[in-house]
Amino acid sequence: MSRPQTSRHDAARIGLPSPGTRSAVLALIAGGILMTAGCSGDEDVPTGAIDADDVDAGQVELRDDVLTVYLHDHGDAIAERFTDDTGIPVQIVDMSGGEILARIEAERANPQWDVVYVQGHGSVNRLYQEGQLLDDGWQPDNAARYNDLGRQIYDQDPDAAWWPVTVNAPALLVYNPNCADTERVEELGWDALRDPAFEGKVGMPDPAISGPAYPYVSWFFEESMDDGYGFWEDVFDNGVRMYRSNSPVAEALAAGDICVAGLEEPNTYGEVEKDADIEIVYPAEGTPGAARATGISADTTVADDARAFIEWMLEADTQTYLTQIEHRNKYFVPLVEGADPNELLPPNEFLDRVTPYEFTDYEWAGEVENEIKQWFADQSGS
């Protein structure tokens, strides 16, 4: 479907300043300037997250004149709160990170999305470098509120047309203590994934499907592509089991079907919260870190709504809310002043300090993304 050239909300914004903080947006709503959801034909906009499969099956028809966001996780929580806070209706299409990137590529000639919010700063920067993100010089007001960790990423290129929202570890080294020889995992570090003692008992998510999996596996390639290939060849030779996403990895680990894995931080602490049989190791060689980042489609026709969404995601109140929802992905580190991580995250019983994330260079990560993902697809037969 083609996009219309005007937004239904444009007229409501005539004379308004550029989107800013929540307080400003709420003040406008209180004054009756912005439309509210449920009015003037918004009744048919879904109130929760939309499954991409339902869109493909024709069970849900996306409206061209309503902000459409492609994201992974937090979907229902964001869909409910964003419209309540801003009065702007939104269509949240929830799918895995890998599926988001594949869908954006498939829609390149006729994008159906307005905003993307996905794990992997390298992947989002690649979209920016390819010209798929709106680059008109706009920067969110709330970028001035980044904390030190947020600035570590943002300040690398403060003119870039994408913005980090949160960070976490795309993989922590975890093991089931009921398995034999797992007391050696802390000593082995990441080499546990290729240790013969755990042959056939190692698990990981598929980088072709899981958004966090690519920033996880690519971390091993940054110092040397040859060393990266060598490491993962050993892991495949050790009989690694490839899962569609992190959730089945967590389930297999807790059940003892596998013994050692690289598991995304939110899933890991989701298992800790459930008192699952799981132990966490923070290896001496480091813990990969990745930003979940957002950007606006270069082809959007609802740019004001999209900018309001970015501002809202960078609100301290929004990020605090997302660390408190009943969902495994509440375990992330906010990047704006005034918001704190969920209390289960380090420092804790597993680590006596804040997690020392190591971030890959996002330009490099974007440049080698297709090569590395294709190699993994060839190895796994996916």
Side-chain angles (χ1 to χ4, degrees):
M1 61 184 174
S2 60
R3 289 298 186 108
Q5 295 304 306
T6 58
S7 164
R8 198 169 46 77
H9 299 284
D10 287 347
R13 286 192 170 77
I14 293 176
L16 294 185
S18 60
T21 63
R22 167 178 292 142
S23 58
V25 174
L26 292 178
L28 293 171
I29 295 170
I33 299 176
L34 283 175
M35 291 184 178
T36 57
C39 297
S40 303
D42 289 341
E43 299 87 354
D44 59 341
V45 178
T47 57
I50 302 166
D51 191 308
D53 290 339
D54 291 338
V55 176
D56 293 339
Q59 297 175 9
V60 175
E61 184 174 353
L62 298 178
R63 284 179 47 175
D64 291 341
D65 58 345
V66 174
L67 177 67
T68 300
V69 179
Y70 285 0
L71 58 68
H72 175 51
D73 286 330
H74 292 143
D76 285 325
I78 289 175
E80 294 166 6
R81 185 71 171 255
F82 174 71
T83 298
D84 284 348
D85 285 350
T86 67
I88 301 171
V90 63
Q91 300 170 138
I92 301 288
V93 185
D94 200 343
M95 59 193 116
S96 76
E99 289 170 332
I100 289 172
L101 296 172
R103 197 177 190 91
I104 288 175
E105 181 60 29
E107 294 176 356
R108 187 187 282 250
N110 185 25
Q112 303 300 298
W113 57 282
D114 299 298
V115 173
V116 61
Y117 174 48
V118 70
Q119 176 87 317
H121 47 284
S123 300
V124 178
N125 186 70
R126 176 177 57 78
L127 296 178
Y128 167 59
Q129 294 292 339
E130 292 175 349
Q132 296 197 63
L133 299 184
L134 182 64
D135 186 15
D136 60 357
W138 177 81
Q139 289 291 318
D141 293 341
N142 282 330
R145 298 176 176 85
Y146 276 127
N147 58 26
D148 289 344
L149 189 55
R151 300 221 73 86
Q152 181 180 336
I153 302 169
Y154 177 74
D155 284 351
Q156 292 183 52
D157 187 359
D159 295 324
W162 62 270
W163 301 275
V165 177
T166 71
V167 298
N168 62 36
L172 295 176
L173 180 59
V174 296
Y175 67 91
N176 185 320
N178 297 319
C179 292
D181 295 322
T182 50
E183 70 277 2
R184 297 177 55 237
V185 173
E186 187 164 359
E187 174 189 350
L188 289 168
W190 290 108
D191 281 336
L193 300 180
R194 55 180 176 177
D195 191 279
F198 307 116
E199 183 176 359
K201 290 289 187 177
V202 174
M204 67 176 292
D206 186 345
I209 301 172
S210 169
Y214 173 67
Y216 160 37
V217 301
S218 63
W219 183 74
F220 292 83
F221 287 83
E222 187 170 23
E223 288 192 10
S224 166
M225 293 293 286
D226 288 342
D227 289 349
Y229 285 125
F231 177 85
W232 288 109
E233 283 172 355
D234 290 346
V235 175
F236 275 101
D237 289 344
N238 207 30
V240 65
R241 301 186 191 182
M242 191 82 77
Y243 295 84
R244 177 179 176 83
S245 64
N246 276 280
S247 293
V249 176
E251 293 167 2
L253 185 72
D257 295 334
I258 57 175
C259 295
V260 184
L263 183 63
E264 187 191 18
E265 191 168 35
N267 291 82
T268 298
Y269 279 99
E271 295 302 307
V272 170
E273 186 178 34
K274 294 187 294 187
D275 293 322
D277 288 324
I278 188 171
E279 295 291 336
I280 307 170
V281 174
Y282 289 86
E285 58 266 45
T287 297
R292 192 179 288 261
T294 186
I296 301 171
S297 170
D299 293 289
T300 184
T301 59
V302 289
D304 284 344
D305 292 352
R307 293 184 184 110
F309 184 86
I310 304 293
E311 291 282 14
W312 182 82
M313 289 298 295
L314 295 178
E315 284 283 350
D317 286 350
T318 301
Q319 298 210 350
T320 297
Y321 161 68
L322 293 177
T323 67
Q324 297 172 347
I325 60 175
E326 290 304 315
H327 192 283
R328 66 181 182 278
N329 270 350
K330 63 186 174 184
Y331 302 112
F332 69 84
V333 178
L335 295 185
V336 295
E337 298 288 352
D340 297 315
N342 186 284
E343 61 183 12
L344 271 186
L345 291 178
N348 58 19
E349 62 182 291
F350 304 105
L351 185 68
D352 61 3
R353 63 191 186 281
V354 173
T355 305
Y357 299 110
E358 295 184 2
F359 299 98
T360 55
D361 177 84
Y362 56 70
E363 291 192 3
W364 169 85
E367 290 170 358
V368 299
E369 180 173 6
N370 290 334
E371 175 187 342
I372 292 175
K373 283 184 174 180
Q374 185 59 55
W375 184 85
F376 273 87
D378 291 343
Q379 300 302 307
S380 64
S382 60

